[in-house]
Amino acid sequence: LKAEIIGYADASGSRDVNHSLALQRAESLTQELRHQGVDENQLQKRGEIEGDKQMGKKAAQFSRRVQVKVTLQ
């Protein structure tokens, strides 16, 4: 089992800050999974920025999330 944990942030604000927020979201879930007993060698995390600075507030909210992709090996 491998899990890729992807944290997302919207594009408002600076790119560095948003990338940091996205990574923090991914790290938060990664820590919880480790706490629940998942081997950290099975976990990979990354941060992504989604959308553009002109997107509306409601659309931006959907960009603030964590996605998990699980593959069986």
Side-chain angles (χ1 to χ4, degrees):
L1 174 82
K2 290 278 187 184
E4 180 182 20
I5 299 148
I6 309 159
Y8 288 91
D10 64 47
S12 64
S14 80
R15 183 166 178 78
D16 289 341
V17 169
N18 287 331
H19 191 256
S20 178
L21 285 170
L23 282 173
Q24 287 175 17
R25 289 184 176 114
E27 178 61 28
S28 179
L29 182 56
T30 300
Q31 287 178 6
E32 179 59 28
L33 290 171
R34 285 194 307 246
H35 178 72
Q36 295 293 325
V38 178
D39 184 340
E40 75 178 276
N41 292 323
Q42 295 176 299
L43 304 173
Q44 178 183 5
K45 68 176 185 275
R46 65 184 168 100
E48 295 288 333
I49 300 170
E50 190 171 74
D52 59 40
K53 292 182 186 275
Q54 280 71 42
M55 70 186 340
K57 185 175 184 177
K58 192 156 193 97
Q61 290 174 340
F62 290 106
S63 296
R64 300 175 193 139
R65 68 184 189 282
V66 176
Q67 181 177 6
V68 179
K69 295 182 181 180
V70 178
T71 55
L72 301 175
Q73 295 187 333

